[in-house]
Amino acid sequence: EQDDDRDVVRLGDDGVEALANALKQNPRLQKINLLGNPFGARGEKALIEMSKINKKLKEINFEDLAKDKNIEL
């Protein structure tokens, strides 16, 4: 078994904002796992605003950033 980080993408606030904007226009995903992505209030706000538009997304998981950071939509 090889430990390979080539498939790991770390998003900050800018990346999470870009992802949220893309998800406003592409509502196919139902669950997003953002574990290990250090983003702050700006990224959280972008995800919340996106969730008002994208009604297909049911779960965003980023609980490793702080206790109880798991949003059920």
Side-chain angles (χ1 to χ4, degrees):
E1 184 174 325
Q2 183 179 5
D3 187 17
D4 192 350
D5 280 346
R6 286 183 293 175
D7 292 16
V8 175
V9 176
R10 302 251 191 284
L11 304 174
D13 279 326
D14 291 338
V16 171
E17 281 184 316
L19 176 63
N21 286 330
L23 289 172
K24 287 178 183 178
Q25 314 208 354
N26 186 356
R28 293 181 180 251
L29 291 178
Q30 294 182 359
K31 183 177 181 179
I32 297 175
N33 185 348
L34 294 174
L35 293 174
N37 286 286
F39 59 92
R42 197 174 53 146
E44 286 183 37
K45 182 178 177 184
L47 290 171
I48 290 167
E49 292 301 315
M50 175 275 304
S51 72
K52 294 176 184 177
I53 295 168
N54 183 334
K55 300 299 183 185
K56 297 275 185 183
L57 189 63
K58 301 295 179 200
E59 183 177 337
I60 303 170
N61 182 357
F62 50 100
E63 65 184 315
D64 69 331
L65 297 176
K67 189 173 183 176
D68 298 326
K69 285 229 178 178
N70 208 25
I71 299 174
E72 293 283 337
L73 304 173

